[in-house]
Amino acid sequence: MKWVLGLTDPVNEVDREISRRVAAWPPSPVDTVMKGLSTAANHSLLWFVVAAGLSVRRGATRKAAGRGVLAIALASTAANAVCKPLLPRRRPAAAELPAYQKLPSPPTSSSFPSGHSASAVAFATAVGLESPRVGLALAPVAAAVSYSRMHVGVHWFSDVAAGALLGAGMATLTQRWWPVRTTDEARARPAGSVPALPDGEGVLMMVNQRSGQPDYDPLADVVAALPLAEILTVQQGHSIEQQLETALVRRSDEVGSRVKALGITGGDGSVGAAAAVAHRHGLPLVVVPLGTLNHFARDIGVYDLIEVGDATRAGEAVAVGLGTVEVHPVDPPEGDRSGHDAPGGDRSGHDASAPDPVRGGHSAPDQAPAPHDEAVVRTRTFVNTASIGSYPELVRLRERWQPRYGKWPAFVAALLVVLRRAKPVRVRFLGRWRTVWFLFVGNGPYHPRGMVPAWRPTLDSGLLDVRWLRADVRFSRLRVAAALILGALGHSRVYEQREVPELDVELAVPGMLATDGEVVETSGRYTFRVADGAVPVYRRDERHWQGRPRPFVG
């Protein structure tokens, strides 16, 4: 222990010297400010008030507030519940401090580290990760709160310094659960030559008036922004895809001359329908993001009608890949579809209980077996994701909670709620039968890997991102919850992920398919692919629009 004391003695001496100098300062208004600031930060109340203010407006500041609160929770727990009991230390002697600097009710817990300092620095650092300007503005306040604990004589300098380091570390650690995304738009290659469409000339635009906010009709704004576009409105009782196909048939002689592009106003479901038609007819697509959450438009990097006008006027677009799902007949082929064709195995003769190849085992290769039936009832297109099992319910809950709590907290809460209610699904894909809670298929690899899928770094990778949660592992739901709490989902036996160009899926019992968050089919077999060729989608090249403010990033 002597060598430990030898290390701490110089620190203690510095602490005492700094405390003596602070105590020697004459009375001033600073004393009142420091006592008020220190008291305001009790139980992080000051930071919760700031977080509430930052949450008023949707965007980067709301995300910053959520990350800041998470960082406070981690820092406060680490400082008060872990470090203080393990590293007890006496606070500075109250007798050595003048009365005008003292708090009326000083704390009596361990001095090391400073919980106020940990929470203050954690909040400011976490906010800065999402919004550097706001974080920079909060930095002096966090520093003042940290110093105030020395000024009022309840902490040594080393307590405050250790608390600050702990807080900064906890703020950085939030990225393990909630990666920082500096921009919404994904990388995409230019689409080559697409026609310029000044004022919307040559655009056949479908407006979904029932998409987005219930008290907002976008029709007038679309007409004002694209006055030369031909405007259609979605009619109840008919699908968007059906209506666009009918409109193009009526204008078959004009496609490519007067009709140079398709346009869609609405959310992801509307965009997916229009993208399918644009892909079939070889037309570029104009996306006006006026749905509720607009995931696809955010990945593309189109935020409002101003950017739509900029991109169409300049003729700037990017190539975007589409996902397709072939829906096969519900009636099963002869034989049992339960996944128990032979004891301990599946139809391919492979042992269904053998270790998965991801784990280094020797089960069936990641190749789908030859399909039983090539008949296709219909083909669906998706721009974001498709899923089987309980994932659609998860998306529904996440989208309901996301505006209030942010995407990541809403997703985690929705996942835990859905897993509690979910029933396992027996499904065959990648060469073997599996029991899963749900199967997720992304149109392109989503990031972060080994975590909750959040965004796509590229838009035309030619791959499907396949993820699933296993239901055949003991205590699988508890394991998922623990892995989420620890930020270690990618290392859990319950979680699996692959990237493949094609996926054939067979269900033991016909099940629902959801595309882009909407349930669209019920069948016993689906084949997922990446569509041949890409769809040009108008997006302005930001290199040519320097100085033009972005309406929303974050």
Side-chain angles (χ1 to χ4, degrees), residues 348-392:
S348 63
H350 296 288
D351 181 5
S353 63
D356 191 276
V358 165
R359 307 296 172 191
H362 52 272
S363 66
D366 288 352
Q367 306 293 329
H372 300 291
D373 189 348
E374 294 297 338
V376 176
V377 176
R378 66 183 61 82
T379 300
R380 297 278 186 179
T381 301
F382 61 99
V383 292
N384 295 326
T385 64
S387 57
I388 293 168
S390 55
Y391 197 82

Side-chain angles (χ1 to χ4, degrees), residues 320-323 382-385 441-446 456 463-465 530:
V320 179
L322 299 180
F382 61 99
V383 292
N384 295 326
T385 64
V441 182
N443 174 29
Y446 273 71
R456 287 172 286 184
L463 294 172
L464 301 171
D465 186 349
V530 177

Side-chain angles (χ1 to χ4, degrees), residues 114-373:
S114 167
H116 281 60
S117 175
S119 295
V121 174
F123 185 80
T125 304
V127 168
L129 290 174
E130 295 288 354
S131 178
R133 289 183 180 179
V134 178
L136 190 62
L138 289 176
V141 183
V145 168
S146 299
Y147 167 74
S148 73
R149 302 304 282 174
M150 290 190 298
H151 191 90
V152 298
V154 296
H155 278 296
W156 303 102
F157 170 76
S158 58
D159 300 338
V160 171
L165 289 174
L166 180 64
M170 292 298 105
T172 304
L173 189 62
T174 61
Q175 296 179 89
R176 184 171 181 84
W177 295 273
W178 189 351
V180 174
R181 187 179 182 185
T182 55
T183 180
D184 282 339
E185 61 197 50
R187 297 190 306 273
R189 58 184 172 86
S193 178
V194 293
L197 309 168
D199 294 326
E201 183 179 4
V203 178
L204 180 61
M205 174 69 70
M206 177 69 73
V207 178
N208 187 352
Q209 294 169 281
R210 291 185 295 277
S211 182
Q213 300 299 323
D215 56 347
Y216 171 63
D217 184 348
L219 184 59
D221 288 341
V222 174
V223 171
L226 304 171
L228 299 183
E230 183 178 355
I231 306 294
L232 306 175
T233 58
V234 175
Q235 303 301 308
Q236 240 175 342
H238 301 279
S239 71
I240 292 175
E241 196 167 338
Q242 214 173 29
Q243 292 176 66
L244 283 173
E245 285 287 2
T246 301
L248 287 175
V249 167
R250 291 175 182 167
R251 299 162 178 77
S252 57
D253 296 336
E254 301 175 359
V255 175
S257 55
R258 288 190 60 188
V259 179
K260 299 177 182 178
L262 285 183
I264 184 67
T265 296
D268 293 335
S270 303
V271 172
V277 178
H279 183 256
R280 281 196 291 270
H281 291 270
L283 291 171
L285 183 66
V286 179
V287 175
V288 180
L290 293 177
T292 305
L293 295 175
N294 307 307
H295 296 298
F296 179 74
R298 289 180 61 183
D299 282 342
I300 292 296
V302 177
Y303 298 95
D304 62 7
L305 278 164
I306 294 176
E307 295 200 351
V308 171
D310 292 343
T312 52
R313 191 180 307 111
E316 297 173 347
V318 293
V320 179
L322 299 180
T324 65
V325 190
E326 294 176 354
V327 183
H328 300 280
V330 174
D331 292 336
E334 290 185 10
D336 179 25
R337 293 190 60 164
S338 66
H340 301 287
D341 304 272
D346 61 16
R347 282 200 189 102
S348 63
H350 296 288
D351 181 5
S353 63
D356 191 276
V358 165
R359 307 296 172 191
H362 52 272
S363 66
D366 288 352
Q367 306 293 329
H372 300 291
D373 189 348

Side-chain angles (χ1 to χ4, degrees), residues 5 51 75 105 177 201 206 208 238-239 252 288 297 321 323 364 400 436-437 445 493 519 522 542 545-546 550:
L5 294 174
S105 302
W177 295 273
E201 183 179 4
M206 177 69 73
N208 187 352
H238 301 279
S239 71
S252 57
V288 180
R400 181 199 296 175
V436 303
W437 294 113
R493 289 187 59 222
V519 177
T522 297
E542 291 303 315
W545 301 90
Q546 296 296 325
R550 307 304 300 276

Side-chain angles (χ1 to χ4, degrees), residues 30-42 46-47 103 116 140-149 152:
V30 173
D31 301 321
T32 303
V33 172
M34 289 296 104
K35 286 191 284 188
L37 194 58
S38 183
T39 302
N42 284 348
L46 170 65
W47 307 117
L103 289 175
H116 281 60
V141 183
V145 168
S146 299
Y147 167 74
S148 73
R149 302 304 282 174
V152 298

